PDB file of all heavy atoms in Angstrom:
ATOM      1  N   GLN N   1     -14.610   8.114  -2.676  1.00 84.00           N
ATOM      2  CA  GLN N   1     -14.848   9.246  -1.782  1.00 84.00           C
ATOM      3  C   GLN N   1     -14.367   8.927  -0.373  1.00 84.00           C
ATOM      4  O   GLN N   1     -13.783   9.768   0.303  1.00 84.00           O
ATOM      5  CB  GLN N   1     -16.338   9.588  -1.732  1.00 84.00           C
ATOM      6  CG  GLN N   1     -16.899  10.196  -3.001  1.00 84.00           C
ATOM      7  CD  GLN N   1     -18.352  10.599  -2.827  1.00 84.00           C
ATOM      8  OE1 GLN N   1     -18.749  11.122  -1.797  1.00 84.00           O
ATOM      9  NE2 GLN N   1     -19.158  10.350  -3.845  1.00 84.00           N
ATOM     10  N   MET N   2     -14.641   7.705   0.076  1.00 84.00           N
ATOM     11  CA  MET N   2     -14.273   7.306   1.423  1.00 84.00           C
ATOM     12  C   MET N   2     -12.767   7.086   1.522  1.00 84.00           C
ATOM     13  O   MET N   2     -12.097   6.782   0.526  1.00 84.00           O
ATOM     14  CB  MET N   2     -15.010   6.024   1.818  1.00 84.00           C
ATOM     15  CG  MET N   2     -16.521   6.134   1.737  1.00 84.00           C
ATOM     16  SD  MET N   2     -17.194   7.382   2.862  1.00 84.00           S
ATOM     17  CE  MET N   2     -16.898   6.592   4.438  1.00 84.00           C
ATOM     18  N   LEU N   3     -12.228   7.223   2.730  1.00 86.00           N
ATOM     19  CA  LEU N   3     -10.802   7.061   2.970  1.00 86.00           C
ATOM     20  C   LEU N   3     -10.340   5.678   2.524  1.00 86.00           C
ATOM     21  O   LEU N   3     -10.950   4.671   2.880  1.00 86.00           O
ATOM     22  CB  LEU N   3     -10.512   7.257   4.466  1.00 86.00           C
ATOM     23  CG  LEU N   3      -9.041   7.324   4.876  1.00 86.00           C
ATOM     24  CD1 LEU N   3      -8.411   8.606   4.366  1.00 86.00           C
ATOM     25  CD2 LEU N   3      -8.920   7.254   6.397  1.00 86.00           C
ATOM     26  N   SER N   4      -9.259   5.620   1.750  1.00 89.00           N
ATOM     27  CA  SER N   4      -8.784   4.335   1.236  1.00 89.00           C
ATOM     28  C   SER N   4      -7.335   4.043   1.624  1.00 89.00           C
ATOM     29  O   SER N   4      -6.701   3.153   1.047  1.00 89.00           O
ATOM     30  CB  SER N   4      -8.931   4.293  -0.288  1.00 89.00           C
ATOM     31  OG  SER N   4      -8.180   5.319  -0.904  1.00 89.00           O
ATOM     32  N   VAL N   5      -6.799   4.800   2.578  1.00 92.00           N
ATOM     33  CA  VAL N   5      -5.467   4.523   3.114  1.00 92.00           C
ATOM     34  C   VAL N   5      -5.575   4.305   4.617  1.00 92.00           C
ATOM     35  O   VAL N   5      -6.550   4.703   5.246  1.00 92.00           O
ATOM     36  CB  VAL N   5      -4.472   5.665   2.802  1.00 92.00           C
ATOM     37  CG1 VAL N   5      -4.114   5.688   1.329  1.00 92.00           C
ATOM     38  CG2 VAL N   5      -5.027   7.023   3.225  1.00 92.00           C
ATOM     39  N   ASP N   6      -4.555   3.668   5.181  1.00 93.00           N
ATOM     40  CA  ASP N   6      -4.548   3.298   6.599  1.00 93.00           C
ATOM     41  C   ASP N   6      -3.802   4.363   7.400  1.00 93.00           C
ATOM     42  O   ASP N   6      -2.597   4.553   7.227  1.00 93.00           O
ATOM     43  CB  ASP N   6      -3.878   1.935   6.765  1.00 93.00           C
ATOM     44  CG  ASP N   6      -4.046   1.357   8.159  1.00 93.00           C
ATOM     45  OD1 ASP N   6      -4.202   2.141   9.116  1.00 93.00           O
ATOM     46  OD2 ASP N   6      -4.000   0.123   8.299  1.00 93.00           O
ATOM     47  N   GLY N   7      -4.508   5.038   8.289  1.00 93.00           N
ATOM     48  CA  GLY N   7      -3.907   6.109   9.073  1.00 93.00           C
ATOM     49  C   GLY N   7      -2.859   5.644  10.058  1.00 93.00           C
ATOM     50  O   GLY N   7      -2.031   6.435  10.524  1.00 93.00           O
ATOM     51  N   SER N   8      -2.861   4.351  10.397  1.00 94.00           N
ATOM     52  CA  SER N   8      -1.894   3.821  11.362  1.00 94.00           C
ATOM     53  C   SER N   8      -0.581   3.409  10.706  1.00 94.00           C
ATOM     54  O   SER N   8       0.357   2.984  11.384  1.00 94.00           O
ATOM     55  CB  SER N   8      -2.491   2.620  12.101  1.00 94.00           C
ATOM     56  OG  SER N   8      -2.712   1.536  11.210  1.00 94.00           O
ATOM     57  N   LEU N   9      -0.514   3.541   9.355  1.00 95.00           N
ATOM     58  CA  LEU N   9       0.714   3.253   8.619  1.00 95.00           C
ATOM     59  C   LEU N   9       1.302   4.539   8.061  1.00 95.00           C
ATOM     60  O   LEU N   9       0.612   5.559   7.951  1.00 95.00           O
ATOM     61  CB  LEU N   9       0.424   2.288   7.465  1.00 95.00           C
ATOM     62  CG  LEU N   9      -0.169   0.929   7.801  1.00 95.00           C
ATOM     63  CD1 LEU N   9      -0.450   0.144   6.530  1.00 95.00           C
ATOM     64  CD2 LEU N   9       0.757   0.137   8.722  1.00 95.00           C
ATOM     65  N   THR N  10       2.559   4.500   7.702  1.00 96.00           N
ATOM     66  CA  THR N  10       3.167   5.648   7.044  1.00 96.00           C
ATOM     67  C   THR N  10       2.730   5.690   5.580  1.00 96.00           C
ATOM     68  O   THR N  10       2.174   4.715   5.056  1.00 96.00           O
ATOM     69  CB  THR N  10       4.704   5.567   7.092  1.00 96.00           C
ATOM     70  OG1 THR N  10       5.136   4.459   6.285  1.00 96.00           O
ATOM     71  CG2 THR N  10       5.201   5.385   8.515  1.00 96.00           C
ATOM     72  N   GLY N  11       3.012   6.804   4.942  1.00 95.00           N
ATOM     73  CA  GLY N  11       2.682   6.900   3.527  1.00 95.00           C
ATOM     74  C   GLY N  11       3.395   5.842   2.719  1.00 95.00           C
ATOM     75  O   GLY N  11       2.795   5.172   1.870  1.00 95.00           O
ATOM     76  N   TYR N  12       4.676   5.647   2.986  1.00 94.00           N
ATOM     77  CA  TYR N  12       5.450   4.645   2.262  1.00 94.00           C
ATOM     78  C   TYR N  12       4.893   3.246   2.515  1.00 94.00           C
ATOM     79  O   TYR N  12       4.764   2.438   1.583  1.00 94.00           O
ATOM     80  CB  TYR N  12       6.917   4.714   2.681  1.00 94.00           C
ATOM     81  CG  TYR N  12       7.785   3.716   1.963  1.00 94.00           C
ATOM     82  CD1 TYR N  12       8.282   3.976   0.689  1.00 94.00           C
ATOM     83  CD2 TYR N  12       8.094   2.497   2.550  1.00 94.00           C
ATOM     84  CE1 TYR N  12       9.060   3.052   0.018  1.00 94.00           C
ATOM     85  CE2 TYR N  12       8.876   1.565   1.889  1.00 94.00           C
ATOM     86  CZ  TYR N  12       9.358   1.842   0.628  1.00 94.00           C
ATOM     87  OH  TYR N  12      10.113   0.911  -0.028  1.00 94.00           O
ATOM     88  N   GLU N  13       4.548   2.930   3.769  1.00 95.00           N
ATOM     89  CA  GLU N  13       4.013   1.605   4.098  1.00 95.00           C
ATOM     90  C   GLU N  13       2.695   1.336   3.380  1.00 95.00           C
ATOM     91  O   GLU N  13       2.440   0.217   2.932  1.00 95.00           O
ATOM     92  CB  GLU N  13       3.840   1.475   5.610  1.00 95.00           C
ATOM     93  CG  GLU N  13       5.158   1.359   6.370  1.00 95.00           C
ATOM     94  CD  GLU N  13       4.976   1.496   7.877  1.00 95.00           C
ATOM     95  OE1 GLU N  13       3.928   2.038   8.312  1.00 95.00           O
ATOM     96  OE2 GLU N  13       5.898   1.083   8.609  1.00 95.00           O
ATOM     97  N   ASN N  14       1.855   2.355   3.270  1.00 95.00           N
ATOM     98  CA  ASN N  14       0.604   2.193   2.545  1.00 95.00           C
ATOM     99  C   ASN N  14       0.859   1.814   1.088  1.00 95.00           C
ATOM    100  O   ASN N  14       0.211   0.908   0.550  1.00 95.00           O
ATOM    101  CB  ASN N  14      -0.212   3.490   2.600  1.00 95.00           C
ATOM    102  CG  ASN N  14      -1.180   3.539   3.759  1.00 95.00           C
ATOM    103  OD1 ASN N  14      -2.252   2.945   3.725  1.00 95.00           O
ATOM    104  ND2 ASN N  14      -0.801   4.259   4.801  1.00 95.00           N
ATOM    105  N   LEU N  15       1.810   2.492   0.455  1.00 95.00           N
ATOM    106  CA  LEU N  15       2.098   2.208  -0.939  1.00 95.00           C
ATOM    107  C   LEU N  15       2.688   0.814  -1.123  1.00 95.00           C
ATOM    108  O   LEU N  15       2.316   0.082  -2.043  1.00 95.00           O
ATOM    109  CB  LEU N  15       3.059   3.258  -1.500  1.00 95.00           C
ATOM    110  CG  LEU N  15       2.535   4.691  -1.588  1.00 95.00           C
ATOM    111  CD1 LEU N  15       3.595   5.604  -2.186  1.00 95.00           C
ATOM    112  CD2 LEU N  15       1.265   4.765  -2.402  1.00 95.00           C
ATOM    113  N   PHE N  16       3.590   0.446  -0.224  1.00 92.00           N
ATOM    114  CA  PHE N  16       4.235  -0.858  -0.338  1.00 92.00           C
ATOM    115  C   PHE N  16       3.224  -1.989  -0.143  1.00 92.00           C
ATOM    116  O   PHE N  16       3.238  -2.995  -0.855  1.00 92.00           O
ATOM    117  CB  PHE N  16       5.367  -0.979   0.685  1.00 92.00           C
ATOM    118  CG  PHE N  16       6.255  -2.171   0.459  1.00 92.00           C
ATOM    119  CD1 PHE N  16       7.089  -2.233  -0.646  1.00 92.00           C
ATOM    120  CD2 PHE N  16       6.251  -3.230   1.345  1.00 92.00           C
ATOM    121  CE1 PHE N  16       7.904  -3.328  -0.867  1.00 92.00           C
ATOM    122  CE2 PHE N  16       7.055  -4.341   1.134  1.00 92.00           C
ATOM    123  CZ  PHE N  16       7.892  -4.385   0.029  1.00 92.00           C
ATOM    124  N   LEU N  17       2.305  -1.809   0.804  1.00 91.00           N
ATOM    125  CA  LEU N  17       1.267  -2.809   1.048  1.00 91.00           C
ATOM    126  C   LEU N  17       0.352  -2.952  -0.170  1.00 91.00           C
ATOM    127  O   LEU N  17      -0.004  -4.067  -0.574  1.00 91.00           O
ATOM    128  CB  LEU N  17       0.448  -2.417   2.281  1.00 91.00           C
ATOM    129  CG  LEU N  17      -0.726  -3.331   2.646  1.00 91.00           C
ATOM    130  CD1 LEU N  17      -0.238  -4.736   2.979  1.00 91.00           C
ATOM    131  CD2 LEU N  17      -1.488  -2.749   3.838  1.00 91.00           C
ATOM    132  N   PHE N  18      -0.015  -1.821  -0.759  1.00 91.00           N
ATOM    133  CA  PHE N  18      -0.889  -1.856  -1.943  1.00 91.00           C
ATOM    134  C   PHE N  18      -0.201  -2.556  -3.099  1.00 91.00           C
ATOM    135  O   PHE N  18      -0.831  -3.324  -3.837  1.00 91.00           O
ATOM    136  CB  PHE N  18      -1.276  -0.429  -2.335  1.00 91.00           C
ATOM    137  CG  PHE N  18      -2.343  -0.352  -3.389  1.00 91.00           C
ATOM    138  CD1 PHE N  18      -3.683  -0.413  -3.047  1.00 91.00           C
ATOM    139  CD2 PHE N  18      -2.015  -0.204  -4.733  1.00 91.00           C
ATOM    140  CE1 PHE N  18      -4.678  -0.344  -4.024  1.00 91.00           C
ATOM    141  CE2 PHE N  18      -2.993  -0.130  -5.712  1.00 91.00           C
ATOM    142  CZ  PHE N  18      -4.337  -0.206  -5.354  1.00 91.00           C
ATOM    143  N   ALA N  19       1.089  -2.309  -3.264  1.00 91.00           N
ATOM    144  CA  ALA N  19       1.849  -2.956  -4.339  1.00 91.00           C
ATOM    145  C   ALA N  19       1.820  -4.476  -4.186  1.00 91.00           C
ATOM    146  O   ALA N  19       1.738  -5.214  -5.171  1.00 91.00           O
ATOM    147  CB  ALA N  19       3.286  -2.453  -4.348  1.00 91.00           C
ATOM    148  N   LYS N  20       1.865  -4.955  -2.957  1.00 88.00           N
ATOM    149  CA  LYS N  20       1.817  -6.396  -2.710  1.00 88.00           C
ATOM    150  C   LYS N  20       0.485  -6.988  -3.169  1.00 88.00           C
ATOM    151  O   LYS N  20       0.427  -8.125  -3.649  1.00 88.00           O
ATOM    152  CB  LYS N  20       2.047  -6.686  -1.231  1.00 88.00           C
ATOM    153  CG  LYS N  20       3.506  -6.646  -0.795  1.00 88.00           C
ATOM    154  CD  LYS N  20       3.656  -7.077   0.641  1.00 88.00           C
ATOM    155  CE  LYS N  20       5.122  -7.297   0.990  1.00 88.00           C
ATOM    156  NZ  LYS N  20       5.705  -8.462   0.279  1.00 88.00           N
ATOM    157  N   LEU N  21      -0.595  -6.216  -3.011  1.00 86.00           N
ATOM    158  CA  LEU N  21      -1.908  -6.700  -3.433  1.00 86.00           C
ATOM    159  C   LEU N  21      -1.955  -6.950  -4.939  1.00 86.00           C
ATOM    160  O   LEU N  21      -2.759  -7.756  -5.416  1.00 86.00           O
ATOM    161  CB  LEU N  21      -2.992  -5.691  -3.033  1.00 86.00           C
ATOM    162  CG  LEU N  21      -3.190  -5.463  -1.530  1.00 86.00           C
ATOM    163  CD1 LEU N  21      -4.242  -4.385  -1.290  1.00 86.00           C
ATOM    164  CD2 LEU N  21      -3.603  -6.761  -0.833  1.00 86.00           C
ATOM    165  N   TYR N  22      -1.106  -6.254  -5.675  1.00 87.00           N
ATOM    166  CA  TYR N  22      -1.042  -6.425  -7.128  1.00 87.00           C
ATOM    167  C   TYR N  22       0.132  -7.311  -7.545  1.00 87.00           C
ATOM    168  O   TYR N  22       0.506  -7.339  -8.719  1.00 87.00           O
ATOM    169  CB  TYR N  22      -0.952  -5.064  -7.821  1.00 87.00           C
ATOM    170  CG  TYR N  22      -2.317  -4.434  -8.018  1.00 87.00           C
ATOM    171  CD1 TYR N  22      -2.900  -3.671  -7.022  1.00 87.00           C
ATOM    172  CD2 TYR N  22      -3.039  -4.634  -9.200  1.00 87.00           C
ATOM    173  CE1 TYR N  22      -4.168  -3.113  -7.192  1.00 87.00           C
ATOM    174  CE2 TYR N  22      -4.288  -4.084  -9.387  1.00 87.00           C
ATOM    175  CZ  TYR N  22      -4.853  -3.324  -8.379  1.00 87.00           C
ATOM    176  OH  TYR N  22      -6.110  -2.778  -8.545  1.00 87.00           O
ATOM    177  N   ASP N  23       0.697  -8.025  -6.562  1.00 88.00           N
ATOM    178  CA  ASP N  23       1.784  -8.983  -6.829  1.00 88.00           C
ATOM    179  C   ASP N  23       2.985  -8.337  -7.511  1.00 88.00           C
ATOM    180  O   ASP N  23       3.688  -8.977  -8.306  1.00 88.00           O
ATOM    181  CB  ASP N  23       1.272 -10.150  -7.703  1.00 88.00           C
ATOM    182  CG  ASP N  23       0.157 -10.930  -7.022  1.00 88.00           C
ATOM    183  OD1 ASP N  23       0.237 -11.123  -5.791  1.00 88.00           O
ATOM    184  OD2 ASP N  23      -0.801 -11.327  -7.712  1.00 88.00           O
ATOM    185  N   ILE N  24       3.214  -7.071  -7.195  1.00 91.00           N
ATOM    186  CA  ILE N  24       4.408  -6.403  -7.711  1.00 91.00           C
ATOM    187  C   ILE N  24       5.592  -6.869  -6.870  1.00 91.00           C
ATOM    188  O   ILE N  24       5.557  -6.773  -5.642  1.00 91.00           O
ATOM    189  CB  ILE N  24       4.262  -4.871  -7.639  1.00 91.00           C
ATOM    190  CG1 ILE N  24       3.062  -4.421  -8.484  1.00 91.00           C
ATOM    191  CG2 ILE N  24       5.535  -4.179  -8.119  1.00 91.00           C
ATOM    192  CD1 ILE N  24       2.723  -2.937  -8.329  1.00 91.00           C
ATOM    193  N   PRO N  25       6.649  -7.405  -7.472  1.00 92.00           N
ATOM    194  CA  PRO N  25       7.811  -7.893  -6.709  1.00 92.00           C
ATOM    195  C   PRO N  25       8.369  -6.820  -5.783  1.00 92.00           C
ATOM    196  O   PRO N  25       8.312  -5.626  -6.095  1.00 92.00           O
ATOM    197  CB  PRO N  25       8.814  -8.273  -7.800  1.00 92.00           C
ATOM    198  CG  PRO N  25       7.979  -8.537  -9.015  1.00 92.00           C
ATOM    199  CD  PRO N  25       6.815  -7.593  -8.920  1.00 92.00           C
ATOM    200  N   SER N  26       8.918  -7.240  -4.646  1.00 90.00           N
ATOM    201  CA  SER N  26       9.344  -6.303  -3.594  1.00 90.00           C
ATOM    202  C   SER N  26      10.305  -5.235  -4.101  1.00 90.00           C
ATOM    203  O   SER N  26      10.157  -4.047  -3.791  1.00 90.00           O
ATOM    204  CB  SER N  26      10.001  -7.075  -2.441  1.00 90.00           C
ATOM    205  OG  SER N  26       9.057  -7.892  -1.801  1.00 90.00           O
ATOM    206  N   LYS N  27      11.302  -5.642  -4.890  1.00 91.00           N
ATOM    207  CA  LYS N  27      12.276  -4.671  -5.387  1.00 91.00           C
ATOM    208  C   LYS N  27      11.600  -3.626  -6.264  1.00 91.00           C
ATOM    209  O   LYS N  27      11.842  -2.415  -6.135  1.00 91.00           O
ATOM    210  CB  LYS N  27      13.372  -5.390  -6.168  1.00 91.00           C
ATOM    211  CG  LYS N  27      14.476  -4.462  -6.649  1.00 91.00           C
ATOM    212  CD  LYS N  27      15.573  -5.251  -7.351  1.00 91.00           C
ATOM    213  CE  LYS N  27      16.684  -4.315  -7.842  1.00 91.00           C
ATOM    214  NZ  LYS N  27      17.757  -5.083  -8.546  1.00 91.00           N
TER     215      LYS N  27
END
């Protein structure tokens, strides 16, 4: 329910950061 994205980042940056948390390779 609570906000789970960072308002100071772009939408793309939020997704890319989250992917790193799951050890998804950069490409």
Side-chain angles (χ1 to χ4, degrees):
Q1 290 184 40
M2 303 298 290
L3 189 69
S4 60
V5 289
D6 190 333
S8 66
L9 301 177
T10 67
Y12 181 82
E13 288 169 340
N14 268 281
L15 295 181
F16 191 69
L17 177 62
F18 190 85
K20 280 186 169 292
L21 296 177
Y22 276 86
D23 299 322
I24 300 172
S26 294
K27 184 177 180 181

